[in-house]
């Protein structure tokens, strides 16, 4: 009997192993990734090659890579449904990045906002990798015939560049790359800093009270929420100019599934102290099983190794086919 099941689209996303996965990363990306596994053929990579545009301590980076993979698994991603791997284990990422560097214009790279931001933060280390890493990001995506890429506001520019590079290469050599589309989640919470609610929550923020990390202890989580910046009105309602409260309501609603109207009714007549404690509590309860599972996985080195080795094998199989096609188009002599 003919199989009429529609082929799933391929979706790729990567996460850097630097810093810590925050509440913002979790609600805005990681939690949604597990919801995509049934709809798409997903590849999720710990993008360790990207990490070295900024100096890393080798032992800390190795530990952070394993911790990040463990957190993805603990957050519900399944190695049976998705391909999970370390970027450095698939050599084709670096090989295709070099090719794409030669089809990426200097002007395009110099317009990248993240290059400008990171150059300002790391003025003593403005290296060529920092400048050219959007070409590596394009390689990450184009290697797998990726059709969908989950993107937040800060990654739209990079995906647009990947599309431009793919179209440029296809225009010269004929149909080679799939031109990827952005996947904009229907409910993708944008979480702001607890200390400066007009800014995005960031794991690289030097102010520890500005973000909550998945591995923070419950007491630390509660303390950070109690210190969260709000306003002087002391009324829990979603409104323009109430950035701190709007952010806390977004966090509370994202975890509990309650609408802003329901949250306003629940906390009617109650002060910010009660509300901050309630938000802290739902976050603690959401993170507790993830943290426990993460610790178990880190202690099971054999299982973690089996996940990333099998993931790299599957990813390499797909990547090799794309790279062979690219090399043939370029005129390289076949091996």
């Amino acid at each position: 009997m003919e199989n009429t099941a529609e082929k799933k689209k391929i979706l790729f996303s990567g996460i850097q192993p630097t810093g810590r996965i925050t509440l913002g990363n979790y609600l805005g990306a990681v939690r949604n990734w597990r919801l995509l596994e049934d709809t798409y053929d997903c590849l999720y990579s710990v993008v360790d090659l990207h990490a070295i545009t900024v100096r890393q301590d080798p032992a800390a980076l190795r530990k952070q890579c394993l911790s990040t993979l463990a957190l993805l698994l603990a957050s519900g991603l399944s190695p049976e449904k998705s391909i999970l791997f370390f970027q450095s284990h698939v050599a084709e990422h670096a090989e295709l990045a070099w090719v794409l560097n030669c089809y990426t214009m200097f002007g395009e790279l110099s317009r990248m906002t993240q290059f400008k931001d990171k150059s300002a933060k790391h003025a003593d280390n403005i290296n060529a990798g920092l400048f050219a890493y959007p070409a590596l990001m394009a390689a990450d995506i184009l290697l797998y015939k990726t059709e969908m890429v989950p993107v937040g506001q800060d990654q739209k520019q990079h995906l647009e560049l990947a599309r431009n590079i793919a179209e440029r290469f296809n225009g010269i050599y004929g149909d080679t790359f799939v031109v990827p589309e952005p996947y904009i989640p229907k409910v993708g919470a944008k979480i702001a800093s607890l200390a400066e609610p007009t800014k995005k929550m960031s794991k690289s923020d030097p102010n520890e009270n500005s973000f909550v990390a998945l591995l923070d202890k419950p007491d630390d989580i509660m303390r950070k929420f109690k210190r969260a910046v709000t306003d002087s009105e002391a009324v829990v309602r979603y409104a323009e100019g109430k950035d701190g409260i709007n952010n806390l309501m977004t966090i509370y609603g994202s975890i509990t599934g309650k609408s802003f109207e329901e949250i306003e009714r629940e906390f009617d007549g109650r002060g910010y102290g009660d509300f901050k404690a309630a938000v802290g509590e739902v976050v603690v309860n959401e993170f507790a099983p993830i943290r426990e599972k993460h610790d178990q996985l880190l202690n099971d080195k054999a299982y973690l190794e089996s996940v990333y080795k099998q993931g790299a094998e599957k990813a390499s199989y797909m990547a090799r086919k794309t790279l062979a096609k690219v090399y043939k188009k370029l005129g390289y002599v076949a091996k």
Side-chain angles (χ1 to χ4, degrees):
M1 187 176 168
E2 191 184 338
N3 182 10
T4 54
E6 195 178 331
K7 186 179 177 294
K8 289 180 183 177
K9 288 186 173 178
I10 296 169
L11 179 143
F12 175 92
S13 196
I15 187 163
Q16 285 225 32
T18 49
R20 289 167 278 181
I21 296 181
T22 67
L23 175 64
N25 303 134
Y26 174 74
L27 292 178
V30 174
R31 188 178 65 162
N32 294 324
W33 287 1
R34 70 179 183 227
L35 305 175
L36 300 172
E37 290 184 315
D38 294 323
T39 318
Y40 298 98
D41 280 334
C42 300
L43 295 105
Y44 296 122
S45 179
V46 177
V47 288
D48 47 358
L49 294 178
H50 283 289
I52 63 165
T53 57
V54 175
R55 292 281 177 268
Q56 302 292 337
D57 171 79
L61 179 61
R62 197 172 294 114
K63 186 178 175 185
Q64 197 61 47
C65 285
L66 291 166
S67 177
T68 302
L69 179 63
L71 275 175
L72 294 181
L73 293 165
S75 299
L77 290 185
S78 160
E80 281 74 43
K81 293 180 180 179
S82 296
I83 296 175
L84 296 154
F85 66 102
F86 293 125
Q87 181 191 28
S88 62
H89 289 187
V90 180
E92 288 80 6
H93 283 259
E95 289 188 56
L96 183 59
W98 170 250
V99 172
L100 298 186
N101 269 323
C102 300
Y103 293 85
T104 308
M105 299 303 112
F106 187 90
E108 289 174 317
L109 292 173
S110 60
R111 285 193 292 275
M112 294 287 117
T113 351
Q114 286 204 349
F115 171 67
K116 293 173 188 171
D117 292 348
K118 286 195 174 182
S119 299
K121 281 181 190 168
H122 304 280
D124 58 336
N125 184 25
I126 304 173
N127 57 71
L130 186 62
F131 184 69
Y133 87 93
L136 173 58
M137 195 177 280
D140 299 338
I141 296 164
L142 300 179
L143 263 181
Y144 300 104
K145 299 185 177 165
T146 302
E147 291 153 285
M148 307 299 290
V149 182
V151 285
Q153 196 60 41
D154 56 345
Q155 295 298 340
K156 279 184 180 171
Q157 200 184 22
H158 289 131
L159 181 61
E160 198 52 49
L161 179 63
R163 288 171 54 83
N164 292 345
I165 297 167
E167 285 166 351
R168 182 176 297 136
F169 196 95
N170 289 351
I172 299 168
Y173 297 102
D175 184 31
T176 309
F177 294 120
V178 171
V179 180
E181 297 289 336
Y183 172 84
I184 313 286
K186 291 183 182 68
V187 185
K190 291 180 178 65
I191 306 302
S193 158
L194 298 181
E196 293 178 76
T198 52
K199 284 169 48 180
K200 180 184 166 186
M201 182 179 283
S202 168
K203 58 191 173 188
S204 57
D205 196 315
N207 182 354
E208 286 281 322
N209 291 316
S210 70
F211 65 89
V212 172
L214 253 70
L215 296 178
D216 278 351
K217 294 184 173 68
D219 287 351
D220 292 331
I221 294 173
M222 293 304 292
R223 178 179 50 76
K224 288 178 182 184
F225 276 108
K226 283 174 184 171
R227 290 183 180 177
V229 169
T230 49
D231 55 67
S232 56
E233 193 187 35
V235 176
V236 177
R237 67 186 180 91
Y238 196 94
E240 196 175 331
K242 288 172 69 70
D243 299 310
I245 283 298
N246 294 350
N247 187 40
L248 293 178
M249 288 178 74
T250 300
I251 293 167
Y252 191 74
S254 296
I255 293 175
T256 61
K258 292 177 181 177
S259 67
F260 292 146
E261 293 77 15
E262 287 172 319
I263 297 168
E264 285 170 7
R265 283 198 299 274
E266 184 182 349
F267 291 93
D268 185 29
R270 294 163 68 184
Y272 286 169
D274 274 5
F275 182 51
K276 287 179 178 182
V279 180
E281 202 172 303
V282 295
V283 171
V284 165
N285 292 339
E286 179 83 3
F287 284 3
I290 295 173
R291 200 169 56 250
E292 190 180 331
K293 181 74 174 165
H294 164 271
D295 294 349
Q296 286 171 3
L297 287 164
L298 271 190
N299 286 324
D300 191 346
K301 297 280 192 291
Y303 174 71
L304 268 189
E305 189 175 320
S306 73
V307 169
Y308 66 70
K309 283 193 168 177
Q310 284 170 28
E313 275 175 32
K314 291 175 188 172
S316 294
Y317 175 75
M318 296 170 75
R320 277 197 301 273
K321 290 202 287 189
T322 302
L323 193 66
K325 187 177 183 181
V326 169
Y327 279 5
K328 187 177 179 183
K329 297 264 183 169
L330 289 169
Y332 291 156
V333 175
K335 287 181 183 178

